Amino acid sequence: MLDSTRYAIIGADLRDIPELEEKLKKCNMNTQLPTLLIAECVLVYMTPEQSTNLLKWAAKSFETAMFINYEQVNMDDRFGQIMIENLRRRQCDLAGVETCKSLESQKERLLSSGWASASAIDMMELYSKLPRAEVSRIESLEFLDEMELLEQLMQHYCLCWATKGGSELG
């Protein structure tokens, strides 16, 4: 654990909410302050019940909060099934993959966990919304000869966000 007056880093098993809460309280976490929670390919490794418990705890615990999640999506199609099979061969099981069926299922998971609003976008759509100059800059960093494969991959990851309390979150 690293704890200072302005910053704290803790290690915790996100499936164990009481332990997580205890560690956060030791760091003087103030649930009254607007809080940003970020998860990157975390929830998919938890069972749906475990991730739901975490999402409900977060929605209930913070007065004003935003949750941002980067995770797999569209896992029911052939490309998604191949991704799952490849990970299984490496003994990497996606215990929560059933919640990653669609953008709609991603949003519904957040809303049913107590978040007031939720949105989701796949990474290909997000990429297409970037300013053209930025896309050119990104694409000049490394030659992409498999653009179709990149597009398929980006259609299988999404950015989801949910908010609760206060219009100051934008």
Side-chain angles (χ1 to χ4, degrees), residues 117-159:
S117 67
S119 298
I121 186 172
D122 75 45
M123 297 309 291
M124 193 63 224
E125 186 178 344
L126 183 72
Y127 191 71
S128 73
K129 293 178 185 289
L130 292 174
R132 199 65 225 145
E134 187 63 12
V135 170
S136 295
R137 186 191 70 77
I138 292 167
E139 291 177 355
S140 73
L141 295 175
E142 187 172 330
F143 177 70
L144 293 173
D145 59 348
E146 293 290 335
M147 194 59 180
E148 185 178 318
L149 185 59
L150 176 65
E151 287 176 9
Q152 283 182 314
L153 190 60
M154 290 192 344
Q155 290 167 349
H156 288 82
Y157 283 88
C158 69
L159 196 60

Side-chain angles (χ1 to χ4, degrees), residues 66-84:
M66 180 175 211
F67 184 87
I68 299 174
N69 184 34
Y70 173 77
E71 190 168 62
Q72 290 88 341
V73 71
N74 299 323
M75 297 302 282
D76 272 350
D77 69 11
R78 186 67 190 134
F79 189 89
Q81 292 303 306
I82 290 171
M83 283 176 64
I84 292 167

